[in-house]
Amino acid sequence: MNGNVAVIHVGHLPNLVSGSRGTLWWAMVLLLVIEATVFSTLISSYFYLRMGQPEWPPAGIDPPKLLLPTINTFILLASSIPMYLADSGITQGKQRRLVWGAAAATTLAAVFLALKVVEYAGVPYRWDDHAYASIVWLIIGFHSAHVASVVLKTIVVMVLGYRGYFNERRHLGVQINGLYWHFVVLVWIPLYVVLYWTPRWL
Amino acid sequence: MHDQAYTAPTAAELEELDRTWDSPPGLLGWFSHVNHRSIGRRFIVTAFIFFLLGGIQALLMRLQLAVPENTLIDPDTYRQLFTMHGTTMMFFFAVPVMEGFGMYLVPLMIGTRDMAFPRMNAFGYYVYLIAGVVLYGAFFLGMAPDAGWFSYTPLAERQFSPGLRVDFWATMVTFIEVSALVAAVEMIVTIFRQRAPGMTLNRMPLFVWAILVMSFMIIFAMPPLMIGSVMLALDRTVGMQFFVAGGGGDPLLWQHVFWFFGHPEVYIIFIPALGMVSSIIIAFTRRPIFGYTALVLALVATGILGFGLWVHHMYAAGLPQLGMSFFTAASMLIAIPSGVQIFCWIATLWDGRLVFRTPLLFVLGFLVIFVAGGLTGVMVASVPFDLQVHDTFFIVAHLHYVLIGGAVFPLFGGVYYWFPKMTGRMLSERLGRWNFWTLAIGFNLTFFPMHQLGLEGMPRRVYTYVDGLGWNGMNMAATLGAVLIAVSVTLFLVNVAVSLRRGAIAGNDPWEADSLEWTAESPPRNYNFHPIPSVAGLYPRWDTRAGRMTPPVLGLRNDVREVLVTDPLDAEPDYKSVLPHPSYAPLILAFACTVAFLGAVYDVRWVPVGGVLAFFAMVYWNWPGTVERTPPWKEAGRGER
Amino acid sequence: MILDLYLLFLGVAVLVMLGVVITIGLALFRRGRTPVDGDPPAEGEPGKFRAVAGATLATGFILLVLLVSSAYVGQVTSREPGQDERPITVNVIGHQWWWEFRYIDDQPSRTFVTANELHIPVGRPVILRMTSRDVIHSFWVPNLHGKIDLMAGRTNTLRIRADEPGEYRGQCAEFCGLQHAKMAFVVVALPEEEFDGWVEESLRPAAEPGTELAQQGREVFLESQCSLCHTVRGTGAWGTIAPDLTRIGSRRTLAAGTVPNNRGTLAAWILDPQHIKPGNFMPATQLPPDRLHALVAYLEGLR
């Protein structure tokens, strides 16, 4: 089929794209949908188990203390700010902002994890005492594992950023990491409400 | 779109393109393949091996049940057999085989050269393979799970199921779900972003729609079971109390979580089969499908409604009446989109120019058997009726009518239809007809009497029954039918083996079909198409043959694995993604994950160990090459983490 | 009533099946017109659209009818019986792999326990309150009613009523482990006076052994490991983890419906329960033949 035929020419199209144009961005969004389903299942299970019990938490256990977890929640929420700055910075080619922002976010998240460890070393129940204990430990465990994994991922992003790998054209990986980061932070809000406030309300 | 002189590619160009997309040869090289056809074929072949294993398990059970008080199989072996049969068929055969067909066909049907994340594809396969090998390893060591494929608590708790059997179940089922989730994410991204220019959503083949719906269902259905099986594993290993009534837990929570997954699971299996049916009907009636929009909406509706039915597996558990009625209504409601599809297919058959070859025979078998199964499904949707037949052989009959009729018959049809594309040879038509008729007769002989057996009181999951209840004849008939099914499957295997060597050469388009995969060679070259096509209608191959040409897509490089990424709705070209060349990283990550999952069977502390290993494996996978080096595909921007 | 519902559903199913098969058959044998290779005709085949739309609406309507019928039958069959029907209450406790039946009365002294055989009066509703000591079981007597699950930590209620005297077989209908297949039971429906008589006999302690052999057998019973698990009311045997044997002699079957009840099967069962029902929790009791003979004579006399 030679000769003058209409042709669709794509040779000029870019290889590097930003944000939701990238296929990897979509993959991350779908991963986050999966994670959201996971956390929804955990929250539903919490309420299902709760509905089957006359007392919740069970007799002898007070509702969870509020002060430390609430401060901790603000620390985690705060970490989204440097992460956002890192993200938006690199889209404009600000490599140093990326590294500093990621470092600040990681530090805050690490503090969050450390305080969580302190909090749960001190709760008056073990995971195998009662279904209440089990679901609380499972939820905290899952979320903390997610925080730990996003911290590790972000350290990798930081290292690559430090080596100058990211710039104003190549930064999809940073944006995707940011998506995961903000998800882990935001999903903590309903978990926090469910675990720390609903035993007092319902 | 520019008018310019189009010259057909030269032989040298094609050779270079072929080399760029080639996969390394040899045994060691096999572990680094990432291209969708290679991985798709592996999924299909591995799934069929599990199909055979699951079938042998079924045959053994039938032999045990042929006569009352039989002593062929002891009760312990029997419970492992029925657990493995269900687990194998549902997790290790049915879903992977559909995924495999999706992986192989979707890129060809949408006009691209590979899936969006080829290494992730390979990773999904290795996870699947390892999970299956580990589970069957446990089986051959006498440690197969034995609490049913649904593993109800409290029976599955450590107190009543000591040893590691159920732990293998919980961990390996969770592991294989990772495989399915990874495949689902990839399918969705590929289908939305890599369609050929001009393939708007309403010009997508129905099989592609089916894979899309299936993938979304996997994303929403599998995570709950992962949580459930994690909870079960934690109950068993560290004494958590999720399903222990004495500890404030609830055994019924397991059932809710399991069936919330379990019911969509059967639609995950069934919906791709419906896509195959549409493809076959179009090709073998030589006419456009009637009701494309209705069929798409029906697929989507079935996918959504499938999430609202799960309590119909729990009618005997003592739940409130009003709640159960809702699920009766929903379970009946889903018959409507299924019905719409059946009616549209019949309308297409009505005045098509029918080509009576084996794929069409299997589709006709599907229509009859699935409708029967759907009708018994409407029956068991009713609570009072179900309270009689729940957990009896009536249900065994129903589920096999819808699963074998609804998924396996279309699957066989799909194999006969697409085997020429995948191998370049035709399957024997004569053996195909024998295959079909022995399967159709054997299937009905096996499962039809089971309706009556259930009505006469025979419960499920029993290793024997007493004499004198009137069940003997029907059980014997069912066993004879099972033997006939085994004959049919043997014929199928013979057909495949013989045709691979001596089947008629197929050529690009032996069926004169309608969709893009038939423009590629049989089997397709490494690069699928050159040039990448564009489409202007629902039946691009028919358009091409009728002389209605569409502009080819030029500008993808031949020395680098570039694919065109397009806009999700209108498929307008957006950018070009550079795909990775073959790599061992997926295998390494799969091994790292195995440490976590297999370790979890023995000690929960292996999980963080495996997690750390997986982290390093992922860093290795994603670490970019040095930017100073010039080989362009290493420098080109794959989004790295 | 459920039978009528089933027949309605079956009738609909058969008609639909015939309709579909006939339509497909007609489609196959019609002479096809020359196909359109490519996108469907613009005018959209209105005749077919009407046919498909009509079939879909008909499907919806039929389903609605079936839904309403089902809901109605569901209501009727799960209705709580009124006091004027003089219901009796039996607590059913599921064990791996046998059934414990506790007959409940307003006067606690008139409560008694039996196993694996449920006697009920004809014509009066029986309220069964079910729970389990271990895993999930399911109580199912096909000829009397649908099934309901027995779960630890929950009490589910089933109401049955036999309208005709007779024996009705039941079987566990939820996989409960190794011997799920051999966890059956018998429901014996007796006319009212016979039932009252049976209740009175059940309230009495175990029958005294009638012969010297049976007396010897009672000693064997009390000296062996039997009383660790079994109860025979009126003797020193108060074990509660195995079926109550106070009236074992009168039962029609042994080992939860596994074998018929006679001297031979009883002796075989005592000597080697694992042979008849492998995996069940009763250990073998090794006895020399004469002591076994006496024991069986005693147990068969417990009517």
Side-chain angles (χ1 to χ4, degrees):
Chain A
M1 191 179 64
N2 276 345
N4 265 348
V5 175
V7 151
I8 299 177
H9 215 286
V10 298
H12 60 286
L13 293 178
N15 286 127
L16 293 175
V17 290
S18 178
S20 63
R21 276 177 84 186
T23 51
L24 206 58
W25 192 93
W26 282 58
M28 177 54 80
V29 167
L30 287 169
L31 173 67
L32 296 179
V33 170
I34 292 171
E35 301 283 19
T37 312
V38 166
F39 282 106
S40 306
T41 308
L42 286 169
I43 293 176
S44 309
S45 300
Y46 179 92
F47 284 115
Y48 183 90
L49 288 169
R50 197 242 150 79
M51 295 303 157
Q53 291 302 305
E55 265 192 82
W56 186 271
I61 302 178
D62 292 327
K65 301 202 194 337
L66 283 180
L67 184 61
L68 182 58
T70 308
I71 296 175
N72 212 8
T73 301
F74 282 109
I75 292 176
L76 188 66
L77 288 173
S79 73
S80 266
I81 301 173
M83 189 48 110
Y84 170 76
L85 291 173
D87 202 335
S88 61
I90 195 62
T91 55
Q92 298 159 36
K94 302 196 172 131
Q95 292 175 316
R96 279 192 275 179
R97 180 124 75 108
L98 166 64
V99 179
W100 283 117
T106 326
T107 312
L108 288 169
V111 170
F112 173 87
L113 279 177
L115 290 179
K116 270 275 162 271
V117 171
V118 166
E119 181 190 343
Y120 277 86
V123 290
Y125 48 81
R126 237 170 64 129
W127 52 84
D128 54 355
D129 284 341
H130 189 269
Y132 171 79
S134 300
I135 187 72
V136 169
W137 273 92
L138 184 63
I139 290 178
I140 295 291
F142 252 83
H143 184 259
S144 304
H146 279 76
V147 175
S149 77
V150 80
V151 162
L152 288 174
K153 256 162 63 71
T154 308
I155 291 174
V156 175
V157 169
M158 253 170 54
V159 169
L160 286 173
Y162 180 74
R163 289 163 65 103
Y165 180 75
F166 295 113
N167 52 48
E168 64 279 345
R169 289 178 315 122
R170 180 188 301 124
H171 52 252
L172 188 59
V174 177
Q175 296 170 306
I176 288 166
N177 191 54
L179 277 179
Y180 192 40
W181 188 282
H182 298 307
F183 173 81
V184 171
V185 168
L186 286 174
V187 85
W188 175 249
I189 298 175
L191 294 177
Y192 166 73
V193 170
V194 167
L195 288 178
Y196 295 98
W197 285 98
T198 60
R200 295 176 153 81
W201 296 336
L202 300 173
Chain B
M1 198 164 110
H2 312 288
D3 278 353
Q4 77 182 57
Y6 169 72
T7 43
T10 63
E13 259 190 323
L14 290 178
E15 248 186 71
E16 186 190 9
L17 194 55
D18 206 48
R19 266 200 314 274
T20 305
W21 287 91
D22 197 13
S23 298
L27 183 59
L28 217 51
W30 191 87
F31 288 100
S32 69
H33 283 203
V34 295
N35 93 72
H36 73 102
R37 286 184 322 275
S38 171
I39 304 294
R41 262 198 321 265
R42 292 182 201 185
F43 263 94
I44 294 172
V45 171
T46 309
F48 267 101
I49 294 175
F50 282 117
F51 178 64
L52 291 175
L53 290 169
I56 292 172
Q57 287 150 7
L59 196 54
L60 287 172
M61 289 194 281
R62 275 315 327 159
L63 288 172
Q64 163 66 10
L65 290 180
V67 295
E69 304 279 13
N70 203 355
T71 51
L72 181 67
I73 309 232
D74 64 276
D76 185 40
T77 308
Y78 193 87
R79 61 183 176 170
Q80 291 179 64
L81 281 177
F82 73 70
T83 304
M84 289 299 287
H85 172 74
T87 307
T88 302
M89 289 306 196
M90 296 298 280
F91 290 107
F92 288 87
F93 160 66
V95 175
V97 83
M98 297 300 175
E99 284 172 357
F101 270 91
M103 273 174 211
Y104 193 100
L105 292 171
V106 165
L108 287 166
M109 283 185 176
I110 63 176
T112 186
R113 289 195 170 137
D114 207 327
M115 303 202 70
F117 311 109
R119 289 177 299 180
M120 204 152 85
N121 229 357
F123 168 70
Y125 175 71
Y126 295 124
V127 166
Y128 165 44
L129 182 65
I130 294 173
V133 165
V134 168
L135 187 66
Y136 269 83
F139 183 37
F140 292 129
L141 291 174
M143 284 196 287
D146 56 8
W149 86 280
F150 50 94
S151 202
Y152 272 9
T153 54
L155 181 63
E157 297 272 10
R158 180 138 281 174
Q159 183 186 1
F160 300 107
S161 286
L164 296 176
R165 297 173 168 191
V166 175
D167 298 290
F168 275 107
W169 184 88
T171 48
M172 291 306 126
V173 160
T174 311
F175 202 19
I176 198 182
E177 293 194 313
V178 169
S179 168
L181 284 166
V182 154
V185 167
E186 224 192 327
M187 299 278 193
I188 292 176
V189 178
T190 307
I191 292 174
F192 272 121
R193 298 303 307 275
Q194 283 185 213
R195 301 196 307 280
M199 188 179 280
T200 54
L201 283 178
N202 64 352
R203 288 180 188 157
M204 232 165 52
L206 284 161
F207 179 73
V208 178
W209 273 108
I211 294 289
L212 185 65
V213 171
M214 160 193 160
S215 302
F216 272 107
M217 291 186 79
I218 288 176
I219 288 196
F220 289 109
M222 294 222 173
L225 179 62
M226 292 180 90
I227 294 297
S229 49
V230 165
M231 289 177 172
L232 178 62
L234 288 170
D235 267 18
R236 288 177 59 86
T237 51
V238 298
M240 292 206 184
Q241 307 281 325
F242 291 107
F243 309 117
V244 181
D250 189 350
L252 220 45
L253 175 61
W254 169 263
Q255 294 189 32
H256 279 294
V257 168
F258 184 83
W259 288 116
F260 184 81
F261 149 80
H263 193 81
E265 156 87 343
V266 308
Y267 288 100
I268 287 169
I269 294 168
F270 170 60
I271 283 179
L274 299 179
M276 290 184 175
V277 168
S278 287
S279 297
I280 294 173
I281 285 191
I282 293 173
F284 288 80
T285 58
R286 306 292 178 90
R287 58 148 287 159
I289 193 115
F290 177 81
Y292 174 85
T293 310
L295 284 165
V296 171
L297 291 175
L299 280 175
V300 173
T302 305
I304 297 176
L305 279 175
F307 279 91
L309 310 188
W310 81 92
V311 172
H312 71 218
H313 298 270
M314 297 163 62
Y315 281 158
L319 298 172
Q321 187 91 358
L322 187 59
M324 295 200 289
S325 305
F326 167 80
F327 288 93
T328 299
S331 304
M332 290 191 178
L333 192 61
I334 204 165
I336 295 182
S338 298
V340 165
Q341 294 183 71
I342 308 267
F343 303 142
C344 287
W345 287 324
I346 296 180
T348 312
L349 287 170
W350 190 252
D351 57 4
R353 193 175 52 176
L354 298 182
V355 178
F356 279 99
R357 294 274 184 278
T358 309
L360 186 65
L361 286 181
F362 275 106
V363 163
L364 294 174
F366 150 77
L367 283 172
V368 174
I369 297 176
F370 173 71
V371 169
L375 290 169
T376 56
V378 168
M379 288 184 197
V380 297
S382 153
V383 174
F385 181 72
D386 184 64
L387 287 181
Q388 279 288 11
V389 298
H390 170 71
D391 236 277
T392 68
F393 268 81
F394 189 94
I395 300 287
V396 175
H398 162 70
L399 78 90
H400 285 92
Y401 265 80
V402 288
L403 280 176
I404 297 187
V408 174
F409 270 75
L411 177 67
F412 272 100
V415 171
Y416 278 86
Y417 182 48
W418 278 298
F419 185 90
K421 177 55 56 185
M422 295 185 184
T423 62
R425 295 190 181 265
M426 308 291 287
L427 281 168
S428 154
E429 183 61 28
R430 215 169 123 251
L431 274 178
R433 282 165 202 260
W434 276 94
N435 183 185
F436 169 73
W437 285 108
T438 46
L439 187 62
I441 295 173
F443 170 80
N444 281 291
L445 185 57
T446 310
F447 292 102
F448 195 78
M450 291 189 185
H451 292 105
Q452 189 60 25
L453 270 176
L455 291 170
E456 299 221 356
M458 184 167 178
R460 287 172 84 168
R461 301 162 184 146
V462 291
Y463 72 94
T464 190
Y465 51 97
V466 294
D467 202 356
L469 293 171
W471 299 348
N472 304 12
M474 289 181 280
N475 270 299
M476 177 57 79
T479 303
L480 292 174
V483 171
L484 193 53
I485 295 179
V487 167
S488 180
V489 173
T490 311
L491 285 175
F492 172 73
L493 292 174
V494 166
N495 199 351
V496 168
V498 167
S499 302
L500 278 174
R501 303 275 169 95
R502 306 204 305 230
I505 302 289
N508 286 19
D509 187 8
W511 307 113
E512 295 180 345
D514 61 302
S515 40
L516 276 179
E517 76 270 28
W518 302 104
T519 56
E521 290 180 36
S522 297
R525 306 298 300 273
N526 287 326
Y527 49 81
N528 287 357
F529 311 95
H530 189 66
I532 300 289
S534 65
V535 304
L538 194 45
Y539 306 102
R541 175 92 183 121
W542 284 348
D543 284 341
T544 314
R545 291 181 55 214
R548 297 185 287 268
M549 310 305 277
T550 50
V553 176
L554 296 185
L556 291 177
R557 291 168 62 171
N558 294 338
D559 58 335
V560 155
R561 295 190 177 204
E562 270 193 342
V563 292
L564 183 64
V565 180
T566 56
D567 170 79
L569 290 181
D570 298 330
E572 291 286 329
D574 189 2
Y575 74 99
K576 293 178 296 182
S577 174
V578 178
L579 297 182
H581 48 280
S583 156
Y584 291 100
L587 183 64
I588 295 172
L589 180 61
F591 280 143
C593 294
T594 305
V595 170
F597 281 89
L598 181 53
V601 173
Y602 295 94
D603 190 320
V604 81
R605 287 169 296 188
W606 281 105
V607 177
V609 170
V612 168
L613 289 175
F615 168 70
F616 286 112
M618 280 193 265
V619 171
Y620 166 69
W621 174 317
N622 285 297
W623 196 261
T626 49
V627 290
E628 302 90 17
R629 283 214 237 128
T630 44
W633 63 79
K634 282 196 184 148
E635 160 188 292
R638 310 194 295 280
E640 308 295 356
R641 277 189 257 140
Chain C
M1 241 205 138
I2 297 180
L3 182 64
D4 294 330
L5 184 70
Y6 166 61
L7 290 175
L8 170 67
F9 273 77
L10 185 64
V12 168
V14 168
L15 285 174
V16 171
M17 196 70 211
L18 278 176
V20 168
V21 170
I22 291 175
T23 317
I24 295 176
L26 286 175
L28 294 180
F29 292 107
R30 281 185 93 230
R31 198 142 275 283
R33 62 177 172 77
T34 317
V36 176
D37 271 347
D39 287 344
E43 65 275 7
E45 306 181 89
K48 286 200 190 158
F49 176 78
R50 282 195 285 271
V52 170
T56 308
L57 284 174
T59 307
F61 177 71
I62 293 173
L63 289 175
L64 190 59
V65 167
L66 294 177
L67 177 64
V68 168
S69 327
S70 166
Y72 172 68
V73 170
Q75 272 282 67
V76 167
T77 54
S78 59
R79 169 187 72 79
E80 188 78 40
Q83 277 309 312
D84 55 309
E85 297 171 79
R86 297 181 301 122
I88 70 167
T89 302
V90 181
N91 287 356
V92 181
I93 300 154
H95 300 258
Q96 279 178 319
W97 294 280
W98 58 280
W99 304 88
E100 180 181 338
F101 298 118
R102 298 181 164 258
Y103 284 74
I104 305 297
D105 192 281
D106 294 334
Q107 296 176 43
S109 58
R110 289 181 65 80
T111 299
F112 62 93
V113 175
T114 180
N116 294 330
E117 220 173 74
L118 185 67
H119 289 238
I120 62 173
V122 171
R124 284 167 65 188
V126 179
I127 301 176
L128 300 165
R129 301 210 188 278
M130 323 251 193
T131 186
S132 170
R133 278 283 173 271
D134 41 44
V135 301
I136 302 182
H137 302 274
S138 197
F139 180 96
W140 185 39
V141 188
N143 286 320
L144 286 183
H145 202 280
K147 58 182 66 72
I148 208 103
D149 286 351
L150 287 74
M151 271 184 259
R154 268 180 101 82
T155 303
N156 285 333
T157 305
L158 188 67
R159 300 157 195 84
I160 63 175
R161 194 185 71 199
D163 291 323
E164 301 279 327
E167 288 175 25
Y168 302 90
R169 185 170 185 278
Q171 191 165 347
C172 177
E174 181 60 61
F175 180 65
C176 51
L178 212 44
Q179 284 300 338
H180 165 66
K182 293 190 174 177
M183 187 172 159
F185 58 97
V186 183
V187 176
V188 180
L190 299 168
E192 195 135 5
E193 311 90 51
E194 278 185 54
F195 176 74
D196 290 340
W198 178 85
V199 169
E200 292 310 316
E201 282 179 43
S202 300
L203 286 169
R204 288 200 280 272
E208 286 292 312
T211 65
E212 208 184 292
L213 187 64
Q215 273 194 9
Q216 194 190 353
R218 181 167 63 177
E219 281 166 39
V220 174
F221 181 82
L222 293 171
E223 285 163 19
S224 309
Q225 55 188 349
C226 318
S227 53
L228 286 175
C229 307
H230 292 282
T231 293
V232 175
R233 236 175 308 118
T235 68
W238 285 111
T240 52
I241 61 172
D244 186 298
L245 297 181
T246 309
R247 302 197 64 192
I248 175 114
S250 68
R251 287 198 205 135
R252 289 147 176 77
T253 62
L254 292 177
T258 305
V259 289
N261 183 3
N262 58 55
R263 298 209 171 199
T265 52
L266 186 52
W269 174 254
I270 293 171
L271 270 185
D272 189 5
Q274 297 302 315
H275 183 71
I276 295 176
K277 200 168 164 179
N280 90 90
F281 296 129
M282 174 157 157
T285 308
Q286 289 305 323
L287 288 173
D290 54 321
R291 282 169 71 83
L292 178 64
H293 190 49
L295 176 59
V296 169
Y298 170 62
L299 291 172
E300 290 291 338
L302 290 178
R303 294 176 180 275

